Amino acid sequence: DIERRNTIAQLLSDWGLVELVSSVENKAPLSQIKVLPFKEKKEWNLSAKYNIGKKVEDEGTKRKFLNIMDEEAKRMNRLIDDILSLSKVETEEHITPNTNISLINPIQYVISSIKERGLSKNNNLTLEDLRQNTNDPCFIIGNIDEINQVFVNLLENAIKYGYEKSDILVRIEQFRKDEVIVSVINQGDGIPEKYLDRLTERFFRIDKARSRELGGTGLGLAIVKHILIKHRATLEIKSTPKESTHFAMTFPLANTD
């Protein structure tokens, strides 16, 4: 709608990303839809120049075209949704949450949800709690929906970029009484060290074609970064090529005395 479109335009302007609308990243979905009829010109039996005015008889080609249109439209919607999500959390980054929530609950909820929806793709998704007191609900001051979003984004990335049928681990550790560390670890190709500092930049992707194929928008880790900043948490990323990648988050615990 008009209001949503105006909001997106304002966000791009505020971010200094007006050029994005004419970039390869943003034109890709539209170009995929636009170019296919020309590629399949013979099969479609359409007019040589404008591809209009002829009826498409090939049902297989028709379905192929419609499927591409559907997938690219969905990807554009994901991109817009992520732009709005990132803008919201950036705008509210300075506002500290004021609610005590259990950090364990959203972790368990997201893992269970991914498994129930069949999104784990044959990976072994495991929660490993190494704290001395595993019954401690581990309270932080936070926003439950935003913490859910952090673990959704990190676990979906771990699944997308991990080896098939490999282990994906969520590990909880506590070495100090005032903070807890939660790590998301996957087994995969890994990330070259020179790119680690750039992973949370908007629209940064090491392999753009692969990320686009997997449905990524290039904003998921930027959203994670800003949610963690809002929660006064830190993020450390380590990766060993052809072995594993660790996303370790350190959360300050709430004083419940």
Side-chain angles (χ1 to χ4, degrees):
D1 56 38
I2 294 177
E3 182 179 356
R4 194 167 189 240
R5 189 167 54 200
N6 289 340
T7 301
I8 293 294
Q10 185 61 51
L11 293 178
L12 294 175
S13 177
D14 291 345
W15 289 351
L17 293 173
V18 176
E19 294 297 322
L20 178 68
V21 297
S22 59
S23 71
V24 173
E25 171 60 40
N26 215 26
K27 286 174 66 178
L30 300 180
S31 65
Q32 289 292 327
I33 295 173
K34 181 179 178 182
V35 79
L36 181 66
F38 290 89
K39 287 182 178 179
E40 308 291 348
K41 184 168 52 182
K42 293 180 180 178
E43 297 162 86
W44 281 73
N45 193 27
L46 304 178
S47 88
K49 187 174 182 180
Y50 295 109
N51 280 355
I52 57 176
K54 299 287 185 179
K55 183 179 179 181
V56 179
E57 301 291 349
D58 188 328
E59 288 298 323
T61 302
K62 188 189 300 183
R63 284 194 299 272
K64 178 180 177 182
F65 182 39
L66 292 176
N67 285 339
I68 288 181
M69 290 177 65
D70 181 55
E71 289 303 315
E72 295 299 335
K74 287 177 181 176
R75 195 173 77 82
M76 182 63 78
N77 275 330
R78 288 195 297 269
L79 177 61
I80 291 172
D81 288 342
D82 278 356
I83 287 174
L84 292 174
S85 295
L86 180 56
S87 172
K88 183 176 185 295
V89 73
E90 282 185 337
T91 302
E92 299 175 353
E93 190 175 277
H94 65 287
I95 304 174
T96 305
N98 56 12
T99 304
N100 280 5
I101 65 170
S102 166
L103 186 59
I104 307 302
N105 290 343
I107 295 173
Q108 293 175 333
Y109 170 78
V110 171
I111 291 175
S112 175
S113 176
I114 288 175
K115 288 181 176 179
E116 289 177 1
R117 289 185 293 154
L119 301 179
S120 59
K121 296 183 179 178
N122 297 319
N123 294 101
N124 181 27
L125 189 53
T126 305
L127 174 60
E128 180 182 56
D129 193 342
L130 300 181
R131 297 174 300 151
Q132 287 187 347
N133 181 9
T134 57
N135 293 320
D136 183 352
C138 202
F139 284 109
I140 65 169
I141 299 175
N143 178 298
I144 189 71
D145 292 331
E146 291 176 348
I147 295 300
N148 278 342
Q149 187 66 58
V150 165
F151 290 108
V152 166
N153 287 10
L154 289 180
L155 284 171
E156 286 186 350
N157 268 11
I159 292 167
K160 287 176 184 176
Y161 297 103
Y163 292 141
E164 188 177 355
K165 298 181 180 179
S166 63
D167 293 329
I168 296 174
L169 182 65
V170 180
R171 177 182 293 156
I172 306 173
E173 301 171 284
Q174 186 170 2
F175 303 106
R176 295 173 43 173
K177 66 178 183 179
D178 61 344
E179 66 182 28
V180 66
I181 301 172
V182 183
S183 302
V184 175
I185 306 166
N186 80 333
Q187 299 171 352
D189 289 334
I191 303 162
E193 185 176 359
K194 64 181 179 179
Y195 295 128
L196 293 179
D197 290 341
R198 299 194 60 196
L199 287 180
T200 57
E201 293 179 9
R202 301 186 195 115
F203 301 111
F204 177 78
R205 289 183 283 197
I206 298 170
D207 186 339
K208 290 185 178 181
R210 183 185 179 194
S211 178
R212 191 179 298 117
E213 180 183 342
L214 294 172
T217 65
L219 291 174
L221 291 180
I223 292 171
V224 166
K225 177 183 75 172
H226 288 284
I227 290 176
L228 293 178
I229 290 173
K230 179 178 179 179
H231 287 76
R232 307 303 182 256
T234 61
L235 174 65
E236 182 180 12
I237 307 172
K238 295 181 179 180
S239 187
T240 303
K242 303 299 180 182
E243 288 188 20
S244 62
T245 299
H246 296 229
F247 286 81
M249 296 158 284
T250 302
F251 291 90
L253 292 173
N255 185 355
T256 56
D257 294 339

